[in-house]
Amino acid sequence: MNNLRRYFKVIVGVAALAAVAFGLFIWNGARTRPSVENAVVVEPQTPRAEGEFESDRDARDRWFWGPRLYGSGDLPAEARRVAKEVSDKIAPELPADQLGGAVWTAMGPQPTFSTAYLGAFGDSSGRINSIAVQPGTPATLLVGSATGGIWRSTNALDANPVFVPVSDGQVDLAVGSIDFSRSTPTTAYAGMGDQDNGYLGTGILKSTDSGATWARVDVAGLPARGTASNVAVSINNANTVFAARTEYFRGRGPQVVGGFYRSVDGGANWTRTFGGSVSSVALHPTNPNVVYISVLNTFFEMVPPARGVYMSIDGGATFNPINGAIDFSGISQLQVATTAANPNKLYAYGGTTTAPFIWATVNDGVNPIVWTANALTLAQFDAGQFDYNNYMAANPYVDGQLYVGSRDVFRITLNPATNALMSVVDITNSWVFNGVAWDYTLFGSKVHSDQQSFAFGANTNTFYAGSDGGINRTTDGGATFTKNLNNTLGLTQAIGVTIHPVSPLIAYTGTQDNGTQRREAGNQWREFSNGDGGYAVVNPLDGTMVFTSYVNGSFTRHGGHGTIFQANVNAGFPGMRINFYCPFVGNGTDATLYTGTQTLAVCTNCATSPGAGTWTFPAGPASDLTRDPTDILSAVAVQKSAFNATQVIYVGSNQGAFRVSQNGGAAFTDRTATLDAAVGQPRAISNIRIDPANAGTAYITLSGFGTQHVFRSTNFGATIVALPFAVDIPVNDFLIHPTTPTTFFLATDIGVYRSTDSGATWNQFNTGMPPVVVNRFDSAPDGRIAAATYGRGNYSLNFVVAANVTVAGRITKPSGMGIGNVIVTLTDGQGQSRRVRTNSTGRYEFTDVAVGENYIFRADSKQWQFANNPRIITVLEEISELDFVAGK
């Protein structure tokens, strides 16, 4: 999330550039895709100098939470769950026979190939907050994602495991922590609510069939809104479960409830036995009565307990501090862990960004307060994102060996006898200490940066690391990591999606910490512009040119459908107010680009400029189109026409300011009071859409709670009325069907709604899609529609263009030489499989493949393993180059 991804400018001579281009040509040659999407990338990194630090996390919080909280100042209890229950009654999903075959199909990323890192860590997905290995069955693995639910694999030890979503029937999709019962391994619990910018959760989910299905347990006694730092199941009783939950989250401030909760009846009832912000829970490996917790921010308690480590000797019923001589009062993070390798050993990790520590002690049952403190120096350990990346796991097989997550995974070894620090080793190598600070390493990464979760397998050398880019596994103690575990995970937090107006093969998506990506075959996508991607605009005069947005108003231009970097056309707007992901749109007719700060900014030469484009402010650089000096524009809508002196432009702000221009932005009529009167009280404007048939008609969507959320004006904002959408949930976007103008769509925080009568009535329209946050829509003139979700990638509608097609490709060595006699298997959604063998050139082919369905393609050879294997592909049209490349 807050990965300072360095963007290196490659300044080389002609000969060196030719060598780079040749090397990348060879590398890409083994991964060729349909030619329309696969011009050779001749530039290893998008030239940028920007990066992310902790301040960007605050900016992201303001982007995500600010609109949802503005006006009401609070989030209603169990907001998403309540809205979904109301919606099921008043706007239910229509039966399949009334949908006319219109269902959503996942279009990825699933997975992402990170071109920017030249395949260093293989494929990636979205953020993994928790990993749980089933005791006694190490091939069964559960992962909890930031906002995409729980996923499960039953062949996790295979070279190419398959994950499937297992909690999509629940409205809670933000997972904080998962734990299996040790005494009854078929039972597992999941604490819902993401601490790092995702949605709050409404309690605990439980599975009694090894994680295959989940149900929400009774949450009596738990906070109605919360995040979960830990759930832990007692070592000897599957009905005794502990949860560390709090209602505090960044961007909203302290709340009134938080602490350690215990249930002794399988989740039917919960009791808070400790009040405070509990950051972690650790169980004694052999004594079920001993429970340890770490405690941080406690200022929302009437009598706040001291920060530090606490111990219970009665199964979590009561706790006492065991800080000893250590003063934890100034720390900002703290984690505790125990190990089966020495059940009486207790570890703590924490401190501050500039002073991280590892503490260790032995609990002799009498006086467990003599801690050994080991300071970690800047040269040893990267604490650059200490308040975002922070976990510790003690090796259950080796006394004194710890794994600590920051931007990288570090193995820390303590002397088993004295607890003194012996060594600190960075085992994932995304970052390196340069003598002064930690720098991102372009070629060294073993896994995606920004570590979030960790779990051991069946031995000391097998463990999993979860990050902002998904999950990786090692079987050799971290010397190497697999690159294929994310092949079937679709967890991308997509900010926006752009589909090509002509070709259904081509699409772009901006993502959280996985850059801006272009769609390749099926659900495979490739990152081509790094960091945090926002929105993309295709040049209507040159369909091979795409403009992409980074954070804070930084824009780039690419040719070759996103394969060739051309220019940084804007580096931001110094001194102006701007959103983390600012509005970024075109007009569908010429190459003019539009964005918003506190005013409207326009670029008419960004398609041709050798570097930064010429950005102008039609209303004047000193104009302010927002509500007040703390406000920023959140929406810009432009009439479909070339930029001219009569073009209609609408703008909206995070505080509900609404203005309309009928002269190309030179002057705006303030319609804020009209909108305020229609809404009742101001709410953030999430987006504005103009009716393609009439620029005087606009639809305004609102975030927040406690009001109506969709409004229409048919006279340039002179009058504004609410559409009768009665579900109290933030609405993030609006779309008129491109070929059926009486059909409307809403993107909400619990999925999509559809109206077929111009907004008079609405129904849920989530068939094929979980109730995930939907950020944006895009459409094409031929009726294709795409939806960008915040946690499950992108979904498509009406992309079917043929009844049956051929899917073919090659199996090659890294050199590009074909491999014969490899078995390729195609498996459909009903589990039916077909198999073919490659010929002497490595070619294979499946004919008569039905489109509009997801298929699993897998390559098998006794001699070779293959990258991106298996692949889940949504077949939308003929695919001629679905390739697999041999690797280690």
Side-chain angles (χ1 to χ4, degrees):
M1 177 179 185
N2 289 291
N3 177 12
L4 173 57
R5 291 176 147 201
R6 298 284 186 181
Y7 299 90
F8 298 91
K9 288 191 176 181
V10 181
I11 304 175
V12 294
V14 173
L17 182 59
V20 170
F22 178 75
L24 287 173
F25 174 78
I26 294 297
W27 178 72
N28 271 300
R31 298 183 57 89
T32 305
R33 301 288 178 238
S35 59
V36 71
E37 302 175 281
N38 286 279
V40 175
V41 180
V42 295
E43 189 239 355
Q45 285 283 64
T46 302
R48 279 206 195 101
E50 300 100 333
E52 289 185 70
F53 282 115
E54 285 305 312
S55 60
D56 291 314
R57 182 183 178 187
D58 295 331
R60 186 194 307 280
D61 283 347
R62 289 192 296 271
W63 164 77
F64 187 83
W65 282 113
R68 288 165 173 82
L69 298 173
Y70 177 72
S72 62
D74 203 356
L75 192 71
E78 304 187 15
R80 293 181 73 250
R81 185 184 67 81
V82 171
K84 183 65 167 63
E85 290 179 353
V86 170
S87 184
D88 288 342
K89 296 177 181 178
I90 67 173
E93 188 87 23
L94 294 176
D97 60 358
Q98 296 184 36
L99 294 178
V103 297
W104 293 104
T105 301
M107 64 183 294
Q110 192 172 341
T112 294
F113 190 79
S114 299
T115 300
Y117 305 101
L118 304 184
F121 49 76
D123 289 320
S124 58
S125 187
R127 176 154 52 92
I128 301 292
N129 283 343
S130 184
I131 305 169
V133 179
Q134 185 174 25
T137 312
T140 297
L141 187 72
L142 300 176
V143 297
S145 66
T147 46
I150 303 169
W151 291 56
R152 179 177 186 252
S153 175
T154 57
N155 66 336
L157 299 179
D158 289 3
N160 302 287
V162 174
F163 285 89
V164 296
V166 290
S167 65
D168 284 1
Q170 303 296 318
V171 70
D172 267 343
L173 296 174
V175 188
S177 177
I178 305 174
D179 194 33
F180 275 104
S181 166
R182 295 140 183 83
S183 61
T184 309
T186 54
T187 296
Y189 295 85
M192 309 308 287
D194 170 41
Q195 296 188 99
D196 294 316
N197 187 245
Y199 244 105
L200 304 189
T202 61
I204 308 293
L205 301 184
K206 181 179 181 179
S207 173
T208 57
D209 54 8
S210 303
T213 61
W214 294 81
R216 181 172 181 260
V217 301
D218 193 332
V219 294
L222 287 176
R225 310 165 285 200
T227 61
S229 60
N230 268 124
V231 293
V233 188
S234 172
I235 64 172
N236 69 345
N237 188 339
N239 287 320
T240 298
V241 58
F242 313 113
R245 292 183 62 79
T246 180
E247 280 202 338
Y248 172 85
F249 71 102
R250 297 174 64 91
R252 191 164 67 107
Q255 301 301 308
V256 295
V257 178
F260 179 88
Y261 297 81
R262 184 179 72 156
S263 174
V264 296
D265 53 11
N269 295 279
W270 296 82
T271 302
R272 187 174 81 147
T273 62
F274 184 91
S277 182
V278 178
S279 55
S280 65
V281 178
L283 306 181
H284 192 285
T286 60
N287 186 344
N289 292 317
V290 176
V291 180
Y292 303 96
I293 59 175
S294 57
V295 178
L296 284 173
N297 300 315
T298 57
F299 44 78
F300 51 78
E301 295 296 318
M302 293 296 294
V303 182
R307 300 184 186 191
V309 182
Y310 289 73
M311 181 176 71
S312 171
I313 59 174
D314 52 13
T318 61
F319 286 89
N320 290 297
I322 54 170
N323 295 339
I326 303 297
D327 180 8
F328 290 102
S329 62
I331 64 172
S332 61
Q333 287 293 333
L334 187 64
Q335 303 283 318
V336 290
T338 57
T339 173
N342 188 338
N344 289 327
K345 191 75 69 72
L346 177 65
Y347 303 100
Y349 155 64
T352 66
T353 299
T354 57
F357 277 84
I358 290 289
W359 296 278
T361 187
V362 175
N363 178 6
D364 60 10
V366 178
N367 188 31
I369 57 172
V370 180
W371 293 90
T372 300
N374 299 285
L376 301 173
T377 67
L378 176 64
Q380 291 175 311
F381 183 76
D382 172 24
Q385 293 179 178
F386 195 72
D387 291 330
Y388 174 65
N389 306 111
N390 193 300
Y391 67 70
M392 174 179 60
N395 192 329
Y397 309 102
V398 179
D399 187 10
Q401 191 175 86
L402 309 173
Y403 288 86
V404 174
S406 64
R407 289 183 287 201
D408 277 340
V409 180
F410 289 81
R411 181 169 54 234
I412 298 177
T413 303
L414 305 181
N415 186 304
T418 66
N419 289 327
L421 183 67
M422 295 177 63
S423 65
V424 181
V425 180
D426 183 348
I427 67 170
T428 55
N429 306 132
S430 294
W431 295 74
V432 64
F433 186 66
N434 65 12
V436 178
W438 287 79
D439 274 337
Y440 190 77
T441 56
L442 179 63
F443 299 102
S445 305
K446 293 183 184 178
V447 303
H448 193 288
S449 186
D450 296 356
Q451 303 308 308
Q452 302 287 353
S453 52
F454 190 93
F456 277 96
N459 58 67
T460 186
N461 290 319
T462 300
F463 50 82
Y464 300 86
S467 68
D468 276 10
I471 184 172
N472 293 85
R473 181 190 65 219
T474 181
T475 57
D476 54 17
T480 61
F481 283 83
T482 56
K483 298 183 178 181
N484 298 331
L485 265 67
N486 295 299
N487 286 349
T488 55
L489 284 170
L491 300 174
T492 300
Q493 291 178 305
I495 308 305
V497 62
T498 300
I499 55 179
H500 197 276
V502 177
S503 173
L505 272 178
I506 302 171
Y508 307 96
T509 188
T511 72
Q512 187 273 315
D513 206 34
N514 285 277
T516 299
Q517 305 174 22
R518 73 175 187 274
R519 177 180 171 270
E520 299 191 333
N523 292 7
Q524 174 78 56
W525 295 62
R526 185 185 294 266
E527 180 181 13
F528 67 92
S529 184
N530 309 40
D532 284 281
Y535 309 107
V537 177
V538 174
N539 183 352
L541 301 180
D542 177 359
T544 68
M545 181 184 292
V546 60
F547 302 94
T548 66
S549 63
Y550 180 61
V551 301
N552 302 323
S554 178
F555 310 130
T556 57
R557 186 181 75 234
H558 301 260
H561 303 289
T563 61
I564 303 171
F565 170 79
Q566 293 182 343
N568 288 324
V569 296
N570 195 51
F573 297 90
M576 304 187 82
R577 309 190 300 271
I578 196 162
N579 216 336
F580 187 74
Y581 297 116
C582 62
F584 186 56
V585 299
N587 59 37
T589 303
D590 65 19
T592 303
L593 300 176
Y594 307 75
T595 189
T597 60
Q598 69 265 32
T599 189
L600 177 72
V602 174
C603 181
T604 58
N605 70 341
C606 279
T608 57
S609 61
T614 304
W615 288 85
T616 61
F617 307 95
S623 59
D624 193 334
L625 305 179
T626 67
R627 189 180 289 268
D628 64 40
T630 65
D631 197 8
I632 50 179
L633 291 184
S634 55
V636 173
V638 180
Q639 179 185 12
K640 186 174 182 180
S641 74
F643 180 58
N644 61 70
T646 62
Q647 188 175 47
V648 177
I649 302 173
Y650 297 80
V651 297
S653 82
N654 265 354
Q655 295 180 20
F658 179 58
R659 300 173 193 258
V660 186
S661 172
Q662 294 177 253
N663 58 0
F668 282 83
T669 302
D670 189 352
R671 304 295 195 187
T672 304
T674 307
L675 180 61
D676 285 350
V679 176
Q681 48 188 320
R683 291 292 184 270
I685 295 175
S686 53
N687 210 9
I688 304 168
R689 293 282 188 168
I690 299 175
D691 188 332
N694 181 359
T697 296
Y699 296 86
I700 308 106
T701 58
L702 301 186
S703 190
F705 294 89
T707 63
Q708 296 280 73
H709 295 275
V710 190
F711 294 82
R712 174 169 54 198
S713 174
T714 59
N715 51 11
F716 301 100
T719 59
I720 300 174
V721 297
L723 294 187
F725 176 70
V727 182
D728 188 15
I729 194 71
V731 175
N732 307 311
D733 201 3
F734 178 95
L735 182 70
I736 300 175
H737 194 289
T739 61
T740 310
T742 56
T743 296
F744 298 164
F745 298 89
L746 298 180
T748 81
D749 276 9
I750 53 173
V752 176
Y753 288 80
R754 184 182 70 165
S755 170
T756 57
D757 52 13
S758 299
T761 60
W762 297 88
N763 288 93
Q764 294 176 65
F765 187 59
N766 287 335
T767 301
M769 177 194 297
V772 64
V773 174
V774 180
N775 278 330
R776 281 293 185 268
F777 292 124
D778 194 30
S779 65
D782 61 5
R784 288 174 290 124
I785 295 171
T789 79
Y790 199 58
R792 293 293 286 270
N794 301 291
Y795 284 78
S796 62
L797 191 67
N798 301 335
F799 269 63
V800 176
V801 295
N804 296 88
V805 297
T806 297
V807 178
R810 291 186 70 216
I811 312 296
T812 69
K813 299 177 182 179
S815 65
M817 181 179 295
I819 305 174
N821 209 36
V822 174
I823 297 174
V824 182
T825 304
L826 175 155
T827 304
D828 63 23
Q830 289 70 48
Q832 301 298 312
S833 297
R834 288 194 274 163
R835 293 176 176 83
V836 296
R837 289 182 182 269
T838 58
N839 62 19
S840 59
T841 68
R843 191 76 178 170
Y844 73 91
E845 180 178 281
F846 292 98
T847 59
D848 200 32
V849 179
V851 298
E853 296 184 22
N854 292 336
Y855 298 91
I856 299 176
F857 290 83
R858 182 180 183 119
D860 291 290
S861 169
K862 293 182 179 180
Q863 184 177 0
W864 301 95
Q865 294 182 353
F866 303 98
N868 308 316
N869 187 35
R871 306 268 289 280
I872 295 182
I873 301 296
T874 304
V875 175
L876 302 173
E877 58 190 329
E878 185 164 302
I879 300 175
S880 61
E881 294 177 337
L882 181 59
D883 301 342
F884 294 85
V885 182
K888 295 181 180 180

